[in-house]
Amino acid sequence: MGIVAGLDSSPDFTRIVVCDADTGAVLRQGYAPHPVEGPDGAGRPSDVDPQAWLLSLGEAAGGGLLEGVQAIGVSAQQNAVVPLDAQGGTVRPAMVGGDKRAQVAAADLIDALGGREAWAQAVGCVPQAAQPVTKLRWLAKNEPDAALRTAVLLQAHDWLVWQLLGRPVRRTTDRGGASGTGYWSAAAGGYRPELVELALGHQVMLPEVIGPSDAAGTTPEGLLISAGTGETMAAAFGLGIGLGDAVVSLGASGSVMAVHPTALVDQSGMITSLADATGMHLPVVTTLNAVRTLRGAAELLGAADLETLSELAMKSTPGSHGLVLLPYLEGERTPNLPHAAGTLTGLRRESMKPEHVARAAFEGMLCGLADALDVLRGRGVEVRRVFLLGAAAELPAVQAAAPALFGAQVVVPQPADYAAIGAARQAAWALGVSQGALDPRTPPAWPGPAAQVLDPGEELAVGQAVRQQYVSVREQTHPTAFRS
């Protein structure tokens, strides 16, 4: 079919991969950083001039990287809001990331619509501080003049696609990105504009949601631009996950998502019902305590780093010599225990050794994520294989315990720019459809990533016994955690 490119504009950098459209083979790569310092000189900013994304894109694409490319797909950070005025100018800098300013606004919105269940029914998720709909509420309350001038709402990938196309009258998005806004329903497949009005105070223009294999348009130079999508959806597409697959991401907090044929409505609010980049759905469950649990244990035990903590844990045995850690160090979201603290039980003289505490930290973190997997399984989501992502996925203590605790085969892909690869795969799909070479319902069959595959094997029974002990302690300590 030709050559395609995928670009991923994350909070920290732009990465570009140029791929063969037929095989998915990566031919060339580009990279450029984004500004990351906040106004006080530390941390990531909550407000970003979107022109910085374009400058980074231009730098990453330098040196003829895009020579011969016929189509581009765009992946970008989720939850960024770019408010535009009626002429297409930015009203204010884009509001990006996990914006803690909007925590009060999230609570206001939940109450304004009648509670968590009402939001779950309306759009498949409950407002959180990072979501666009919540940022709109913050904008209306704190910058009313800017809110009043806002006439169009775009997300980061929408804005980049629009810029690449020369700022046409038509503005588009995809169902994956739209599903994370808090004002588009994955179940109904449409916007809820009254929720925008509830948040912002008035109606605005929203981008047209186009299909997974549709093209957003063609540049004046004849370069096809595909629909684009959010980073989560692009990474899932780049990994090639399908029905029966789940992805567990190990960051400071954790997330579990899986492919499902229908949108899930979860009145507890634990499941966020997103759409993916292929026409399927991505129910997501998050935990607040993942790698932060390991870092806390490393500090407690005086381990220099997580590799040292892992070496220590491997000196123990499954079950941590009777120790069980409920890793609710920052409260918890799954289960919904915002004011909980961590709990370490089973202390006996013989178990009070660093290696057992270290092993309990790894097992506690993974059992918490297994709880999140069970939330999805309890709603009929099939999980046969778990892709484990994040730097901590490479730790021997994680790999030794995860398959048996999750009760599934675990796949640890080699590090790669999966969001950019997913964007390139989307571009190849749109290009193939435009050429009549691909079915608009079937994406290009690119091979899966190189990966290490770990099976539970004979450890499954032992791991499930460890998991049951964890569940028993959790139910004794928080008996209504999964019943509320």
Side-chain angles (χ1 to χ4, degrees), residues 212-213 278-279 429 433 438-443:
S213 63
T278 72
W429 195 4
V433 169
L438 289 177
D439 188 323
R441 298 165 297 179
T442 307

Side-chain angles (χ1 to χ4, degrees), residues 275-289:
D276 78 348
T278 72
M280 301 287 279
H281 293 268
L282 282 178
V284 179
V285 180
T286 60
T287 68
L288 294 181
N289 301 280

Side-chain angles (χ1 to χ4, degrees), residues 217-309:
T218 304
T219 69
E221 298 78 23
L223 192 63
L224 184 144
I225 307 296
S226 63
T229 194
E231 275 192 310
T232 296
M233 299 79 186
F237 199 25
L239 284 166
I241 66 171
L243 291 173
D245 291 334
V247 177
V248 173
S249 181
L250 299 178
S253 55
S255 68
V256 175
M257 67 178 178
V259 178
H260 198 57
T262 59
L264 298 179
V265 175
D266 175 51
Q267 296 184 358
S268 73
M270 284 189 290
I271 298 176
T272 297
S273 192
L274 300 177
D276 78 348
T278 72
M280 301 287 279
H281 293 268
L282 282 178
V284 179
V285 180
T286 60
T287 68
L288 294 181
N289 301 280
V291 175
R292 64 166 41 98
T293 302
L294 304 183
R295 297 201 182 283
E299 292 175 7
L300 175 68
L301 299 173
D305 49 36
L306 296 187
E307 289 73 17
T308 304
L309 185 73

